[in-house]
Every structure is written in C-alpha cells, then in structure tokens.
Amino acid sequence: SDAELKVATRDDSGWLLGDDIPSAFPAEDPLLLTYRGPNFFADVTTIAERLPVPDSERAGVLVFDVGELGRFSSTTLKEIGKYHTSLAACGSGLVLAGIGESSLRTLDRTGLLEQIGEQNTVRSDPHLGTTMDLGMARGRELLTELRAEHGD
C-alpha cells in the first residue's frame, strides 16, 4: 500500500518535516498528522490502528490533515467517528483540517460534523501550509479549552 501517515512539524527555519507517529500525545502541543495515499477501506483500518492512544490522565488534541483524501469513504467516516468517540471519552479532542465543501456536506449528512463540532473543522486552503497552520491554531485553542475543563 502507498498509504502514509506522518507527524508534521516545523523546523527552526519553518520548513515542514515528516516524522513517525508517537504512541501517545505530546504534553504541550496538539499532534498534527498528515495522510497521503489512497482512500481504500483496507488502508483506512490499518491507518486507524496507528493513531495515538488517548490518555485519560491528560487531555490531548489530534489535528488530522485529511485534505489528500478528497472525499470520505464510508470506512473512513466510521473510523473517524470511532476515534473521535475514544478521544472524547478521555477528555481529548479532534480537529479535522483540509476539509473541502464536499467533505463538509458529507460530515454534516452523517452527523459527524455535529459530533466533532463545526468549530473543529478547518477548511482547505490553496496556500501551501496554511491549512496545517490554521489546524494547529484551532488545535491549540481546543487543547487549552479541554485542559481548563479537566483542570489539567
């Protein structure tokens, strides 16, 4: 499979770097993941197994740049819903970045938009890096909100 899930970070010069996925959320910042590759059901479940496990002791936020997917398969929608539920149960959150109009309508029709929260979706932007930056900004806001709610 050509599916690839990577953590995206910026170096000191502002360049984007790809790295391996940690097993847990970092302590200070949201975790930004990017997906590149096909939108086949077999790849989606394999990718879902690689997502970090939420920690009930400390809130975390995953910012997931799904812009490469274009459209969501039914399997992708199911996995996003399951993962969001597991995050929410631990006091953590999910931000979907790179959402196009078609994907936004699909999220709305399936009820996932209400579940995740429209404020936790970041629309796709044609400027390179902007979607990731906006996603991380919303992720930091959400992390602050969640930690305040849970006294972290």
Side-chain angles (χ1 to χ4, degrees):
S1 162
D2 294 329
E4 183 178 57
L5 188 64
K6 290 281 187 186
V7 171
T9 58
R10 291 197 184 271
D11 67 12
D12 292 339
S13 300
W15 291 97
L16 281 171
L17 303 171
D19 203 356
D20 294 330
I21 302 166
S23 58
F25 286 97
E28 298 305 317
D29 267 327
L31 184 64
L32 174 61
L33 295 185
T34 61
Y35 177 78
R36 303 288 181 258
N39 192 4
F40 300 129
F41 69 92
D43 289 320
V44 172
T45 52
T46 301
I47 293 295
E49 293 169 357
R50 296 180 48 217
L51 295 173
V53 177
D55 180 357
S56 60
E57 299 296 315
R58 185 182 72 231
V61 170
L62 177 70
V63 178
F64 196 5
D65 181 359
V66 295
E68 277 288 309
L69 291 174
R71 294 176 183 230
F72 295 120
S73 69
S74 60
T75 304
T76 301
L77 292 166
K78 183 175 111 180
E79 292 299 331
I80 289 172
K82 282 178 17 184
Y83 192 63
H84 177 266
T85 299
S86 72
L87 288 171
C90 291
S92 291
L94 176 66
V95 173
L96 295 178
I99 302 292
E101 288 305 315
S102 174
S103 294
L104 187 64
R105 286 190 301 274
T106 301
L107 290 171
D108 189 33
R109 276 194 316 273
T110 60
L112 277 175
L113 187 61
E114 184 177 347
Q115 181 183 347
I116 294 167
E118 188 168 356
Q119 73 278 13
N120 295 324
T121 60
V122 176
R123 305 307 178 269
S124 58
D125 188 289
H127 301 94
L128 292 176
T130 301
T131 299
M132 289 181 193
D133 292 343
L134 292 172
M136 283 298 284
R138 175 58 195 144
R140 286 184 192 96
E141 290 170 1
L142 180 57
L143 187 59
T144 300
E145 293 166 14
L146 292 170
R147 289 191 173 160
E149 286 176 19
H150 300 284
D152 290 347

